[in-house]
mmCIF file of all heavy atoms in Angstrom:
data_model
loop_
_atom_site.group_PDB
_atom_site.id
_atom_site.type_symbol
_atom_site.label_atom_id
_atom_site.label_comp_id
_atom_site.label_asym_id
_atom_site.label_seq_id
_atom_site.Cartn_x
_atom_site.Cartn_y
_atom_site.Cartn_z
ATOM 1 N N LEU A 283 93.033 89.490 120.721
ATOM 2 C CA LEU A 283 92.381 90.791 120.608
ATOM 3 C C LEU A 283 93.197 91.764 119.757
ATOM 4 O O LEU A 283 92.639 92.610 119.056
ATOM 5 C CB LEU A 283 92.137 91.372 121.993
ATOM 6 C CG LEU A 283 91.107 90.604 122.838
ATOM 7 C CD1 LEU A 283 91.036 91.157 124.254
ATOM 8 C CD2 LEU A 283 89.732 90.641 122.176
ATOM 9 N N MET A 284 94.526 91.639 119.774
ATOM 10 C CA MET A 284 95.364 92.466 118.893
ATOM 11 C C MET A 284 95.103 92.135 117.426
ATOM 12 O O MET A 284 95.053 93.020 116.570
ATOM 13 C CB MET A 284 96.842 92.267 119.227
ATOM 14 C CG MET A 284 97.332 93.055 120.420
ATOM 15 S SD MET A 284 97.248 94.854 120.159
ATOM 16 C CE MET A 284 98.344 95.058 118.779
ATOM 17 N N ALA A 285 94.928 90.834 117.144
ATOM 18 C CA ALA A 285 94.622 90.433 115.764
ATOM 19 C C ALA A 285 93.266 91.004 115.328
ATOM 20 O O ALA A 285 93.106 91.453 114.181
ATOM 21 C CB ALA A 285 94.632 88.914 115.645
ATOM 22 N N GLU A 286 92.293 90.994 116.266
ATOM 23 C CA GLU A 286 90.985 91.563 115.932
ATOM 24 C C GLU A 286 91.087 93.070 115.714
ATOM 25 O O GLU A 286 90.394 93.626 114.841
ATOM 26 C CB GLU A 286 90.001 91.243 117.056
ATOM 27 C CG GLU A 286 89.644 89.760 117.137
ATOM 28 C CD GLU A 286 88.716 89.459 118.300
ATOM 29 O OE1 GLU A 286 88.390 90.408 119.055
ATOM 30 O OE2 GLU A 286 88.312 88.287 118.449
ATOM 31 N N LEU A 287 91.948 93.745 116.480
ATOM 32 C CA LEU A 287 92.159 95.179 116.277
ATOM 33 C C LEU A 287 92.788 95.436 114.910
ATOM 34 O O LEU A 287 92.371 96.356 114.193
ATOM 35 C CB LEU A 287 93.052 95.737 117.380
ATOM 36 C CG LEU A 287 93.468 97.212 117.233
ATOM 37 C CD1 LEU A 287 92.234 98.120 117.179
ATOM 38 C CD2 LEU A 287 94.410 97.626 118.365
ATOM 39 N N ASP A 288 93.787 94.622 114.550
ATOM 40 C CA ASP A 288 94.412 94.776 113.232
ATOM 41 C C ASP A 288 93.380 94.570 112.118
ATOM 42 O O ASP A 288 93.389 95.291 111.111
ATOM 43 C CB ASP A 288 95.574 93.789 113.075
ATOM 44 C CG ASP A 288 96.755 94.122 113.969
ATOM 45 O OD1 ASP A 288 96.849 95.283 114.409
ATOM 46 O OD2 ASP A 288 97.585 93.217 114.215
ATOM 47 N N GLN A 289 92.497 93.574 112.302
ATOM 48 C CA GLN A 289 91.463 93.321 111.304
ATOM 49 C C GLN A 289 90.505 94.496 111.214
ATOM 50 O O GLN A 289 90.091 94.905 110.113
ATOM 51 C CB GLN A 289 90.708 92.043 111.654
ATOM 52 C CG GLN A 289 89.585 91.672 110.707
ATOM 53 C CD GLN A 289 90.083 91.303 109.309
ATOM 54 O OE1 GLN A 289 91.253 90.979 109.133
ATOM 55 N NE2 GLN A 289 89.204 91.378 108.327
ATOM 56 N N ALA A 290 90.142 95.090 112.356
ATOM 57 C CA ALA A 290 89.236 96.244 112.362
ATOM 58 C C ALA A 290 89.886 97.439 111.669
ATOM 59 O O ALA A 290 89.224 98.168 110.904
ATOM 60 C CB ALA A 290 88.851 96.596 113.795
ATOM 61 N N LYS A 291 91.191 97.643 111.924
ATOM 62 C CA LYS A 291 91.900 98.740 111.259
ATOM 63 C C LYS A 291 92.015 98.495 109.758
ATOM 64 O O LYS A 291 91.919 99.438 108.947
ATOM 65 C CB LYS A 291 93.289 98.902 111.870
ATOM 66 C CG LYS A 291 93.286 99.489 113.280
ATOM 67 C CD LYS A 291 94.704 99.635 113.807
ATOM 68 C CE LYS A 291 94.725 100.294 115.184
ATOM 69 N NZ LYS A 291 96.105 100.427 115.722
ATOM 70 N N LEU A 292 92.217 97.238 109.380
ATOM 71 C CA LEU A 292 92.314 96.907 107.954
ATOM 72 C C LEU A 292 90.988 97.201 107.250
ATOM 73 O O LEU A 292 90.965 97.795 106.166
ATOM 74 C CB LEU A 292 92.693 95.442 107.791
ATOM 75 C CG LEU A 292 92.885 94.945 106.356
ATOM 76 C CD1 LEU A 292 94.019 95.700 105.678
ATOM 77 C CD2 LEU A 292 93.154 93.438 106.330
ATOM 78 N N GLN A 293 89.879 96.802 107.889
ATOM 79 C CA GLN A 293 88.579 97.080 107.287
ATOM 80 C C GLN A 293 88.313 98.583 107.226
ATOM 81 O O GLN A 293 87.705 99.070 106.259
ATOM 82 C CB GLN A 293 87.488 96.367 108.086
ATOM 83 C CG GLN A 293 87.495 94.853 107.897
ATOM 84 C CD GLN A 293 86.297 94.195 108.529
ATOM 85 O OE1 GLN A 293 85.779 94.676 109.544
ATOM 86 N NE2 GLN A 293 85.847 93.090 107.948
ATOM 87 N N LEU A 294 88.765 99.314 108.232
ATOM 88 C CA LEU A 294 88.614 100.767 108.186
ATOM 89 C C LEU A 294 89.418 101.355 107.021
ATOM 90 O O LEU A 294 88.951 102.275 106.336
ATOM 91 C CB LEU A 294 89.088 101.383 109.507
ATOM 92 C CG LEU A 294 89.062 102.913 109.575
ATOM 93 C CD1 LEU A 294 87.648 103.451 109.351
ATOM 94 C CD2 LEU A 294 89.628 103.397 110.906
ATOM 95 N N SER A 295 90.608 100.802 106.773
ATOM 96 C CA SER A 295 91.416 101.304 105.651
ATOM 97 C C SER A 295 90.741 101.028 104.316
ATOM 98 O O SER A 295 90.914 101.771 103.351
ATOM 99 C CB SER A 295 92.812 100.658 105.673
ATOM 100 O OG SER A 295 92.750 99.288 105.316
ATOM 101 N N TYR A 296 89.918 99.947 104.257
ATOM 102 C CA TYR A 296 89.223 99.617 103.017
ATOM 103 C C TYR A 296 88.104 100.607 102.703
ATOM 104 O O TYR A 296 87.555 100.585 101.597
ATOM 105 C CB TYR A 296 88.643 98.212 103.085
ATOM 106 C CG TYR A 296 89.668 97.105 103.047
ATOM 107 C CD1 TYR A 296 89.361 95.821 103.509
ATOM 108 C CD2 TYR A 296 90.944 97.333 102.549
ATOM 109 C CE1 TYR A 296 90.294 94.801 103.466
ATOM 110 C CE2 TYR A 296 91.889 96.314 102.512
ATOM 111 C CZ TYR A 296 91.555 95.052 102.973
ATOM 112 O OH TYR A 296 92.484 94.050 102.940
ATOM 113 N N THR A 297 87.746 101.470 103.666
ATOM 114 C CA THR A 297 86.724 102.483 103.378
ATOM 115 C C THR A 297 87.252 103.554 102.433
ATOM 116 O O THR A 297 86.467 104.307 101.863
ATOM 117 C CB THR A 297 86.228 103.145 104.664
ATOM 118 O OG1 THR A 297 87.327 103.808 105.319
ATOM 119 C CG2 THR A 297 85.617 102.113 105.600
ATOM 120 N N GLU A 298 88.565 103.623 102.278
ATOM 121 C CA GLU A 298 89.184 104.553 101.329
ATOM 122 C C GLU A 298 89.769 103.759 100.168
ATOM 123 O O GLU A 298 90.570 102.837 100.375
ATOM 124 C CB GLU A 298 90.279 105.382 102.004
ATOM 125 C CG GLU A 298 89.747 106.325 103.076
ATOM 126 C CD GLU A 298 90.850 107.200 103.653
ATOM 127 O OE1 GLU A 298 92.043 106.925 103.374
ATOM 128 O OE2 GLU A 298 90.520 108.151 104.380
ATOM 129 N N ILE A 299 89.360 104.101 98.962
ATOM 130 C CA ILE A 299 89.847 103.411 97.763
ATOM 131 C C ILE A 299 90.777 104.369 97.028
ATOM 132 O O ILE A 299 90.357 105.443 96.565
ATOM 133 C CB ILE A 299 88.691 102.972 96.859
ATOM 134 C CG1 ILE A 299 87.764 102.025 97.628
ATOM 135 C CG2 ILE A 299 89.205 102.311 95.594
ATOM 136 C CD1 ILE A 299 86.527 101.608 96.851
ATOM 137 N N HIS A 300 92.059 103.990 96.949
ATOM 138 C CA HIS A 300 93.084 104.826 96.333
ATOM 139 C C HIS A 300 93.469 104.264 94.962
ATOM 140 O O HIS A 300 93.288 103.075 94.685
ATOM 141 C CB HIS A 300 94.321 104.897 97.223
ATOM 142 C CG HIS A 300 94.075 105.541 98.553
ATOM 143 N ND1 HIS A 300 94.379 106.858 98.815
ATOM 144 C CD2 HIS A 300 93.545 105.040 99.709
ATOM 145 C CE1 HIS A 300 94.060 107.151 100.058
ATOM 146 N NE2 HIS A 300 93.541 106.071 100.629
ATOM 147 N N ALA A 301 94.022 105.122 94.129
ATOM 148 C CA ALA A 301 94.490 104.695 92.803
ATOM 149 C C ALA A 301 95.762 103.863 92.969
ATOM 150 O O ALA A 301 96.732 104.333 93.552
ATOM 151 C CB ALA A 301 94.764 105.905 91.923
ATOM 152 N N PRO A 302 95.782 102.627 92.461
ATOM 153 C CA PRO A 302 96.983 101.802 92.585
ATOM 154 C C PRO A 302 98.052 102.114 91.536
ATOM 155 O O PRO A 302 99.210 101.753 91.700
ATOM 156 C CB PRO A 302 96.455 100.382 92.418
ATOM 157 C CG PRO A 302 95.239 100.538 91.556
ATOM 158 C CD PRO A 302 94.651 101.885 91.889
ATOM 159 N N ILE A 303 97.661 102.771 90.437
ATOM 160 C CA ILE A 303 98.590 103.076 89.353
ATOM 161 C C ILE A 303 98.289 104.467 88.805
ATOM 162 O O ILE A 303 97.219 105.028 89.055
ATOM 163 C CB ILE A 303 98.488 102.051 88.191
ATOM 164 C CG1 ILE A 303 97.061 102.066 87.601
ATOM 165 C CG2 ILE A 303 98.898 100.673 88.632
ATOM 166 C CD1 ILE A 303 96.908 101.230 86.345
ATOM 167 N N ASP A 304 99.248 105.013 88.047
ATOM 168 C CA ASP A 304 98.990 106.226 87.269
ATOM 169 C C ASP A 304 98.173 105.851 86.031
ATOM 170 O O ASP A 304 98.344 104.774 85.460
ATOM 171 C CB ASP A 304 100.302 106.868 86.813
ATOM 172 C CG ASP A 304 101.129 107.388 87.977
ATOM 173 O OD1 ASP A 304 100.588 107.474 89.092
ATOM 174 O OD2 ASP A 304 102.315 107.703 87.756
ATOM 175 N N GLY A 305 97.301 106.748 85.599
ATOM 176 C CA GLY A 305 96.535 106.485 84.386
ATOM 177 C C GLY A 305 95.336 107.402 84.290
ATOM 178 O O GLY A 305 95.251 108.425 84.975
ATOM 179 N N ARG A 306 94.416 107.020 83.422
ATOM 180 C CA ARG A 306 93.148 107.743 83.284
ATOM 181 C C ARG A 306 92.039 106.887 83.843
ATOM 182 O O ARG A 306 91.993 105.670 83.628
ATOM 183 C CB ARG A 306 92.846 108.061 81.822
ATOM 184 C CG ARG A 306 93.629 109.237 81.263
ATOM 185 C CD ARG A 306 93.182 109.551 79.864
ATOM 186 N NE ARG A 306 91.776 109.944 79.827
ATOM 187 C CZ ARG A 306 90.980 109.785 78.771
ATOM 188 N NH1 ARG A 306 91.442 109.230 77.679
ATOM 189 N NH2 ARG A 306 89.736 110.184 78.802
ATOM 190 N N ILE A 307 91.141 107.531 84.586
ATOM 191 C CA ILE A 307 90.037 106.807 85.195
ATOM 192 C C ILE A 307 88.775 107.018 84.365
ATOM 193 O O ILE A 307 88.529 108.106 83.839
ATOM 194 C CB ILE A 307 89.825 107.259 86.661
ATOM 195 C CG1 ILE A 307 88.834 106.344 87.369
ATOM 196 C CG2 ILE A 307 89.377 108.715 86.747
ATOM 197 C CD1 ILE A 307 88.828 106.489 88.869
ATOM 198 N N GLY A 308 88.013 105.957 84.228
ATOM 199 C CA GLY A 308 86.811 106.023 83.404
ATOM 200 C C GLY A 308 85.591 106.480 84.186
ATOM 201 O O GLY A 308 85.691 107.104 85.246
ATOM 202 N N LYS A 309 84.445 106.125 83.680
ATOM 203 C CA LYS A 309 83.168 106.541 84.264
ATOM 204 C C LYS A 309 82.921 105.787 85.563
ATOM 205 O O LYS A 309 83.195 104.592 85.671
ATOM 206 C CB LYS A 309 82.046 106.270 83.269
ATOM 207 C CG LYS A 309 80.658 106.618 83.768
ATOM 208 C CD LYS A 309 79.629 106.352 82.693
ATOM 209 C CE LYS A 309 78.209 106.528 83.210
ATOM 210 N NZ LYS A 309 77.972 107.808 83.840
ATOM 211 N N SER A 310 82.388 106.505 86.562
ATOM 212 C CA SER A 310 81.977 105.867 87.810
ATOM 213 C C SER A 310 80.667 105.116 87.565
ATOM 214 O O SER A 310 79.684 105.694 87.099
ATOM 215 C CB SER A 310 81.789 106.915 88.908
ATOM 216 O OG SER A 310 81.325 106.303 90.097
ATOM 217 N N LEU A 311 80.672 103.826 87.871
ATOM 218 C CA LEU A 311 79.509 102.995 87.564
ATOM 219 C C LEU A 311 78.466 102.990 88.676
ATOM 220 O O LEU A 311 77.370 102.475 88.475
ATOM 221 C CB LEU A 311 79.975 101.562 87.269
ATOM 222 C CG LEU A 311 80.956 101.445 86.096
ATOM 223 C CD1 LEU A 311 81.365 100.002 85.877
ATOM 224 C CD2 LEU A 311 80.356 102.027 84.827
ATOM 225 N N LEU A 312 78.806 103.530 89.861
ATOM 226 C CA LEU A 312 77.855 103.646 90.955
ATOM 227 C C LEU A 312 77.908 105.065 91.500
ATOM 228 O O LEU A 312 78.984 105.654 91.601
ATOM 229 C CB LEU A 312 78.159 102.641 92.067
ATOM 230 C CG LEU A 312 77.870 101.162 91.730
ATOM 231 C CD1 LEU A 312 78.378 100.259 92.841
ATOM 232 C CD2 LEU A 312 76.392 100.930 91.503
ATOM 233 N N SER A 313 76.774 105.601 91.889
ATOM 234 C CA SER A 313 76.703 106.981 92.361
ATOM 235 C C SER A 313 76.898 107.036 93.871
ATOM 236 O O SER A 313 76.693 106.052 94.592
ATOM 237 C CB SER A 313 75.347 107.590 91.997
ATOM 238 O OG SER A 313 75.139 107.566 90.606
ATOM 239 N N VAL A 314 77.284 108.225 94.341
ATOM 240 C CA VAL A 314 77.379 108.465 95.777
ATOM 241 C C VAL A 314 76.019 108.213 96.423
ATOM 242 O O VAL A 314 74.980 108.637 95.903
ATOM 243 C CB VAL A 314 77.843 109.908 96.045
ATOM 244 C CG1 VAL A 314 77.746 110.237 97.533
ATOM 245 C CG2 VAL A 314 79.270 110.109 95.560
#
C-alpha cells in the first residue's frame, strides 16, 4: 500500500509540468 501511495503521489506530481532547462518556449500546441 505504501508503493501504491508513492505511485499516486507520483501521478499527482505529473499534473504539473515544469521547465527542465533554461531557454525559450515555443507555441503551445494544445489549448486550455
Side-chain angles (χ1 to χ4, degrees):
L283 293 174
M284 279 296 298
E286 291 177 358
L287 175 59
D288 291 340
Q289 179 66 19
K291 288 181 177 179
L292 182 62
Q293 288 188 329
L294 177 59
S295 71
Y296 289 160
T297 61
E298 294 184 349
I299 300 176
H300 297 261
I303 60 172
D304 294 347
R306 282 185 62 207
I307 190 165
K309 178 178 173 54
S310 177
L311 301 180
L312 289 173
S313 301
V314 172

